[in-house]
Amino acid sequence: MARAWRCINRKPRLFGTLVRVLMIGDVVGKAGRKAVAALFPALREEHGIDFFIANVENSAGGKGITKETLDELFAAGVNVATAGDHVFQNKGYGAIIGDARVVRPLNYPPGAPGHGWTVVPTAQGVPVAVVNLLGRTFMKPVDCPFAAAEKALEALAGTAAVCIVDMHAEATSEKVAMGWFLDGRVTAVCGTHTHVQTADERVLPSGTAYITDLGMTGPYASVIGRGKDAVIAHFVTCLPQRFEVAEHDVRLCGAVIDIDEQTGRARGIIRVQSALP
Ligand SMILES: [Fe+2]
Ligand SMILES: [Fe+2]
C-alpha cells in the first residue's frame, strides 16, 4: 500500500467553489514516472484532486523530456507538465512544441521553442493558468523571471482566476522573493529544481500559496536522483563520473493547494509525500 501523509488542514469542499490542485516536484527518470502512475490514484482519492501539475524536466533518463515519457505521465493523470533548466537536454524536447499541456520556462531568451504559460481547464471546466519561470541565481543567465512574470500576468488577464507558478530555481532567496512579488496576484508560487522538499509551505497574506521546493518525485536512495556512489566519488576525487539515475526508495513529493475558484486565492497548502512499497 502507498503511504500518504494525511491532509491535516483539509477543509470541507464547498460545492462549486473549491478547486484542489496537486503539484509535484521534479519527476526523475523511470522511477519517478512509475511513482506517478502508482501513487497518484490514491492521492487523488484521498485529497479529492481536481487538477494535477508535474515538473517533468528530468523525466526522460534523468535529463529532459520525450514524447514517450510525456505521454506516460499524461496517461497517469497529469494535466499540465512544467519544466526547467534541463528541458532542452534531450533531443525529444520537440514534445513540448505545440502541446498546450506543456510549458517550459517563460524567460528563456527569444528563439527558444515552446511556450512559457498555458491555460487548461479542470474536468469541471474551471480554467487553470500555469506559468513556468527559471531563476538566474547560480543558474544560466536567462532573461529576468520577474519581468517575465509581469508579462505573463498581462497576457493572462481575464483568462483564468486560478494561476499556478512553477518557480524553477536554485536559490531559496530568489524563490522567496518571487513568492512575495506575486502575492495576491497569483494562486500559488511553488518552487522546483533542488529535488529536496522544504517545510515552509504557507499562504502569504494576500492569498498566494507558497513553498520553496516541492521536492523530487523519484529515487531517494540517491543524491538528488543519481546513484550515490558515483556522486560521492566525484566529490571525493573531483574526477568525472558517470551519473546514472538511481532506482530505490521511490517517492512522490509535492503539495496540495485548496483554491477558491471565484477569487483564485489559495485557502490552504499542505505538503504530501508518498512512497512506493
Ligand atoms: Fe532543474
Ligand atoms: Fe530537476
Side-chain angles (χ1 to χ4, degrees):
M1 285 289 289
R3 174 171 60 82
W5 292 340
R6 292 202 66 79
C7 186
I8 53 172
N9 65 346
R10 185 172 180 174
K11 295 180 173 69
R13 181 181 293 268
L14 302 177
F15 180 73
T17 64
L18 192 67
V19 172
R20 199 164 279 154
V21 170
L22 170 66
M23 185 165 176
I24 62 171
D26 308 40
V27 176
V28 176
K30 192 173 183 179
R33 302 197 307 273
K34 190 175 163 190
V36 172
L39 298 171
F40 176 57
L43 286 168
R44 177 168 50 195
E45 189 175 334
E46 179 180 4
H47 296 285
I49 302 300
D50 301 300
F51 202 82
F52 182 18
I53 303 168
N55 183 295
V56 305
E57 74 148 3
N58 306 112
S59 61
K63 274 188 181 176
I65 58 177
T66 63
K67 184 169 186 329
E68 292 71 28
T69 55
L70 265 179
D71 285 346
E72 199 177 320
L73 290 164
F74 288 138
V78 171
N79 297 106
V80 169
T82 61
D85 53 315
H86 291 304
V87 63
F88 299 123
Q89 285 191 292
N90 187 301
K91 283 187 236 167
Y93 70 72
I96 68 168
I97 301 168
D99 192 323
R101 300 168 296 175
V102 191
V103 287
R104 51 86 172 151
L106 178 61
N107 52 320
Y108 264 97
H115 48 275
W117 55 265
T118 191
V119 180
V120 173
T122 67
Q124 295 76 32
V126 178
V128 177
V130 180
V131 180
N132 196 183
L133 300 171
L134 189 59
R136 294 190 292 187
T137 306
F138 311 131
M139 300 185 87
K140 286 181 189 144
V142 290
D143 294 345
C144 176
F146 295 88
E150 290 284 9
K151 277 188 193 162
L153 294 188
E154 271 176 39
L156 289 165
T159 62
V162 179
C163 179
I164 311 288
V165 175
D166 177 349
M167 177 59 177
H168 192 85
E170 182 76 37
T172 300
S173 58
E174 196 173 14
K175 294 174 172 177
V176 172
M178 186 61 77
W180 287 114
F181 184 68
L182 295 177
D183 184 25
R185 302 199 285 165
V186 302
T187 304
V189 175
C190 295
T192 56
H193 175 73
T194 69
H195 294 204
V196 177
Q197 190 179 60
T198 56
D200 61 339
E201 76 280 11
R202 59 177 163 159
V203 177
L204 297 173
S206 296
T208 294
Y210 176 82
I211 183 169
T212 296
D213 207 288
L214 293 164
M216 175 179 71
T217 295
Y220 276 73
S222 73
V223 177
I224 61 171
R226 302 290 172 158
K228 54 186 186 298
D229 292 342
V231 179
I232 291 168
H234 174 67
F235 278 119
V236 170
T237 66
C238 292
L239 295 174
Q241 303 287 331
R242 187 176 177 82
F243 295 154
E244 304 284 358
V245 176
E247 296 177 354
H248 301 296
D249 190 7
V250 180
R251 306 184 208 177
L252 175 152
C253 280
V256 175
I257 306 158
D258 274 355
I259 303 159
D260 183 318
E261 74 174 53
Q262 305 297 330
T263 65
R265 288 179 172 225
R267 294 179 172 182
I269 176 171
I270 57 129
R271 278 173 286 133
V272 292
Q273 187 171 142
S274 296
L276 286 178

